[in-house]
């Protein structure tokens, strides 16, 4: 029997056009492999375990973390926060400044409003877990199974650098590390022309930029240049694809909605409140910005290079526990001067990243090129940020102001390793399974190191472990004292005699909130700006509640009643909550107090 062919049918027309290659940005996503799911589970394990530890032990946040948690419970009340936390840089610029927005406290508020401490663990844990899932999803979309497993290994390395107990921190410099890490990966997708990444990048960028000033420069620079790359990438693609304009319109529409939702509260404050956004832009952009105090000693370009090189770009890099020795073992003060080692370190990383970008472009590896592009921009943006972030009081350079270099350093390392793997698999395809197994083994080993609740940061370890017993004693005694006294608000909270800035100074406020006891603060104090101007004392409070520590607790005045006291475990400093009746002001005094509350 003769086989029928195209020639037998007599077809003499033109050959059919070759099949058009599928756009990688719209290629269908294969179902995740078992190994990818295991990698995600291992990266989430430190978060899940430490949240379970917090719930089972009765953990409560202390210090600044407690202040942020207490403030989150004001969401959708008469004291609703339209701004982020008060910034200590206010002392140097000569006016009160808050971080730009309340997006982070909005995210954890649904949980803390139900129960403050357990809610904080769950809410903060969910924000971090969502960030991990985001990194996993982006990495597998761009780089497949090997990329997702490698990204999860890098994520666990970031978790290991600080210890899992730091994953419960509401302090902004720590709380933003995983969201910022996720933002960097979404920026890679944006650079590669993925339309879905644009609204996600706007949301994550808004979260990071609003929550703490030390993340602003690098986040904005990375987002801006990734968006430029996105526009160029989309413009190069064929314009014949039907519906392209409609797709672009939908993307821009969702992006605009996300941006509006994220920024409506800071904008409301700008036009109808304190005008914080304008003050921040004025303080940051004016010729006289930073001319007083420590702010006049911004490190400059050379100092920025030196600071960046001292973080995660040289040994011990981002290895387990490395965040605990950020910027070295000794505190840095004064002006930082550039060194040859600093310049060489940054230059070596830049050359390595440029080599990866060149190879990726030559071999048409677009996702790898996008990764290298974002890494290069992140390195340059980090130098800019480090050169512009002013020191704190007494010209001290706080290590926590540079924690953001750990996600950046990891991204740089991932880029170099990804480039080496790409070169190896280009010449020998059989090397990819070996790389996958190696990444999985590293991930498993790091997860085992990280899963135990601990922290390399001394203050996190102190608050999460050593001071919890003292916190529970103070909380229990204060609760019992409120039951006995039948205290009703409003009550003025006074921290002026907390001479040692106690670790326990904010936690008791959550108990007042739970009982519906209104608390206020004296006019023109930092704590009033921390907890909202509507809490300004106008002469209505019947009592004053002092937080006393150290020697102040041994010099009580007549009429003062100690409601609760404890002793810090690490320092031995006594801490007490002391109540005193507030004298009734005259109408003239009350009017004067109201005038002081007007800003």
């Amino acid at each position: 029997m003769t086989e029928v062919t195209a020639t037998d049918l007599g077809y003499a027309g033109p050959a059919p056009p070759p099949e058009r290659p599928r756009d990688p940005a719209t290629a269908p996503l294969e179902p995740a492999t078992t190994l990818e799911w295991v990698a995600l589970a291992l990266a989430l394990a430190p978060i899940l375990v430490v949240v379970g530890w917090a719930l089972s032990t009765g953990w409560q946040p202390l210090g600044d973390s407690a202040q942020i948690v207490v403030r989150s419970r004001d969401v959708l009340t008469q004291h609703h926060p339209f701004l982020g936390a008060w910034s200590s840089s206010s002392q140097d610029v000569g006016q009160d400044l808050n971080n730009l927005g309340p997006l982070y406290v909005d995210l954890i508020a649904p949980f803390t409003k139900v129960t403050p401490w357990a809610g904080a663990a769950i809410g903060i844990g969910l924000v971090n877990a969502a960030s991990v899932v985001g990194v996993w999803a982006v990495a597998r979309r761009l780089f497949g199974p090997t990329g997702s497993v490698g990204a999860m290994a890098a994520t666990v390395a970031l978790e290991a650098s600080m210890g899992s107990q730091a994953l419960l921190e509401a302090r902004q410099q720590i709380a933003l590390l995983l969201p910022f890490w996720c933002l960097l990966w979404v920026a890679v997708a944006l650079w590669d022309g993925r339309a879905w990444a644009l609204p996600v990048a706007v949301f994550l960028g808004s979260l990071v930029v609003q929550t703490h000033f030390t993340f602003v420069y690098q986040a904005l620079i990375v987002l801006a240049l990734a968006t430029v790359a996105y526009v160029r990438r989309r413009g190069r693609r064929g314009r014949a694809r039907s519906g392209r304009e409609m797709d672009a319109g939908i993307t821009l529409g969702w992006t605009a909605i996300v941006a509006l939702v994220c920024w409506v509260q800071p904008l409301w404050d700008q036009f109808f409140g304190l005008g914080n956004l304008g003050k921040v832009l004025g303080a940051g952009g004016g010729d006289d910005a930073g001319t007083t105090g420590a702010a006049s000693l911004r490190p400059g370009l050379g100092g920025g290079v030196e600071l960046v090189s001292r973080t995660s770009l040289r040994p011990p890099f981002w290895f387990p526990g490395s965040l605990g020795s950020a910027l070295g073992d000794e505190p840095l003060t004064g002006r930082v001067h550039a060194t040859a080692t600093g310049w060489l370190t940054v230059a070596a990383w830049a050359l390595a990243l440029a080599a990866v970008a060149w190879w990726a472009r030559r071999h048409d590896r677009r996702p790898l090129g996008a990764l290298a592009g974002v890494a290069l921009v992140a390195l340059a943006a980090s130098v800019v940020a480090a050169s512009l972030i002013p020191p704190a009081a007494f010209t001290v350079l706080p290590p926590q102001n540079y924690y953001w270099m750990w996600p950046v350093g990891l991204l740089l390392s991932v880029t170099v390793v990804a480039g080496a793997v790409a070169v190896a698999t280009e010449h020998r395809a059989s090397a990819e399974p070996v790389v996958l197994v190696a990444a999985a083994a590293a991930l498993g080993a790091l997860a085992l190191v990280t899963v135990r609740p601990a922290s390399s940061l001394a203050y996190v370890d102190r608050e999460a472990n050593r001071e919890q017993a003292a916190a529970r004693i103070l909380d229990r005694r204060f609760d019992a004292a409120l039951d006995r006294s039948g205290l009703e608000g409003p009550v003025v909270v006074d921290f002026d005699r907390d001479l040692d800035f106690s670790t326990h100074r904010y936690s008791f406020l959550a108990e007042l909130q739970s009982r519906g006891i209104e608390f206020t603060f004296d006019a023109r104090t930092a704590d009033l700006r921390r907890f909202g101007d509507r809490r300004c004392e106008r002469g209505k409070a019947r009592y004053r509640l002092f937080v006393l520590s150290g020697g102040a607790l041994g010099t009580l005045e007549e009429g003062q009643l100690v409601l609760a006291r404890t002793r810090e475990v690490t320092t031995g400093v006594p801490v007490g909550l002391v109540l005193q009746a507030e004298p009734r002001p005259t109408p003239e005094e009350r009017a004067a107090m109201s005038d002081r509350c007007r800003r």
Side-chain angles (χ1 to χ4, degrees), residues 56-138:
S56 63
T57 60
W59 165 90
Q60 61 177 263
L62 300 175
D64 288 341
S65 283
Q67 183 263 315
I68 293 169
V69 171
V70 169
R71 190 66 172 127
S72 73
R73 305 188 79 210
D74 287 335
V75 170
L76 299 182
T77 70
Q78 62 175 326
H79 303 295
H80 178 85
F82 289 92
L83 299 173
W86 179 81
S87 173
S88 58
S89 64
S90 304
Q91 299 167 348
D92 289 309
V93 299
Q95 60 179 334
D96 280 328
L97 299 177
N98 283 57
N99 285 283
L100 297 179
L103 202 49
Y104 188 85
V105 295
D106 289 343
L107 292 178
I108 66 173
F111 309 96
T112 60
K113 288 173 76 68
V114 175
T115 171
W117 310 143
I122 294 171
I124 295 168
L126 283 175
V127 171
N128 284 326
S131 301
V132 172
V133 173
V135 172
W136 178 80
V138 172

Side-chain angles (χ1 to χ4, degrees), residues 1 326 345 395 409 536 549 567 596-597:
M1 187 174 190
T345 299
T395 70
C536 187
S549 63
R567 186 176 294 273
R596 286 175 57 83
C597 288

Side-chain angles (χ1 to χ4, degrees), residues 255-275:
T255 302
I257 291 172
V258 170
L260 178 62
V261 170
C262 289
W263 287 94
V264 65
Q265 295 180 89
L267 290 174
W268 179 272
D269 170 82
Q270 176 60 34
F271 294 111
F272 305 105
L274 300 173

Side-chain angles (χ1 to χ4, degrees), residues 209-552:
V209 168
Q210 285 188 20
T211 305
H212 204 262
F213 287 134
T214 56
F215 286 78
V216 169
Y217 296 112
Q218 55 276 52
L220 289 180
I221 292 172
V222 168
L223 269 179
L225 293 184
T227 302
V228 170
Y230 166 79
V231 172
R232 293 185 61 190
R233 181 79 72 187
R234 302 292 290 186
R236 290 173 184 169
R237 289 178 180 158
R239 298 182 180 274
R241 185 166 63 88
S242 61
R244 182 176 184 275
E245 291 79 7
M246 182 178 295
D247 290 347
I250 293 173
T251 299
L252 291 176
W254 278 111
T255 302
I257 291 172
V258 170
L260 178 62
V261 170
C262 289
W263 287 94
V264 65
Q265 295 180 89
L267 290 174
W268 179 272
D269 170 82
Q270 176 60 34
F271 294 111
F272 305 105
L274 300 173
N276 182 72
L277 186 59
K279 293 177 183 178
V280 169
L281 293 176
D287 293 335
D288 60 345
T291 56
T292 62
S296 62
L297 295 176
R298 288 178 175 173
L301 178 60
V305 168
E306 181 66 20
L307 287 168
V308 166
S309 72
R310 289 192 186 194
T311 55
S312 57
L313 300 188
R314 63 172 76 167
F317 299 108
W318 32 259
F319 287 3
S322 57
L323 201 66
S325 57
L327 297 185
D329 296 326
E330 297 296 328
L332 291 177
T333 58
R335 189 173 294 279
V336 178
H337 299 283
T339 65
T341 302
W343 282 104
L344 288 173
T345 299
V346 173
W349 279 102
L351 287 173
L353 297 173
V356 175
W358 172 82
W359 189 91
R361 182 179 179 85
R362 185 173 181 183
H363 291 81
D364 197 26
R365 300 286 189 92
R366 280 175 30 192
L368 179 60
L371 179 63
V374 171
L376 273 168
V377 169
L379 178 60
S382 297
V383 172
V384 172
S387 68
L388 294 175
I389 295 173
F394 308 108
T395 70
V396 173
L397 292 160
Q400 62 267 27
N401 283 355
Y402 305 91
Y403 285 168
W404 45 264
M405 265 307 298
W406 266 251
V408 172
L410 270 163
L411 188 76
L412 270 55
S413 299
V414 167
T415 303
V416 173
V417 171
V421 169
V423 172
T425 55
E426 178 76 13
H427 294 89
R428 181 174 295 182
S430 60
E432 185 167 0
V434 177
V435 172
L436 186 59
V437 170
L443 170 58
L446 284 169
L448 286 176
V449 172
T450 314
V451 75
R452 182 178 67 88
S455 180
S456 64
L457 301 169
Y459 56 91
V460 174
D461 174 65
R462 180 179 70 248
E463 293 176 3
N465 298 308
R466 303 182 215 175
E467 292 297 335
Q468 288 296 309
R472 283 191 286 271
I473 290 172
L474 187 67
D475 188 55
R476 186 171 62 250
R477 291 175 176 174
F478 186 56
D479 184 55
L482 291 178
D483 285 339
R484 292 192 305 268
S485 67
L487 180 68
E488 296 180 356
V491 56
V492 188
V493 177
D494 194 327
F495 293 111
D496 283 350
R497 298 176 66 184
D498 181 17
L499 304 179
D500 295 270
F501 205 87
S502 168
T503 298
H504 306 276
R505 71 181 324 198
Y506 295 122
S507 304
F508 71 95
L509 296 175
E511 183 62 30
L512 295 179
Q513 287 177 317
S514 297
R515 291 172 176 263
I517 299 175
E518 189 67 29
F519 56 90
T520 61
F521 300 91
D522 289 324
R524 301 179 185 177
T525 59
D527 287 295
L528 176 61
R529 196 64 185 261
R530 286 187 176 101
F531 291 97
D533 278 23
R534 283 182 171 269
R535 284 198 168 101
C536 187
E537 173 53 33
R538 291 176 165 83
K540 296 181 180 180
R542 299 173 58 192
Y543 298 96
R544 182 170 292 263
L545 183 58
F546 291 94
V547 178
L548 273 60
S549 63

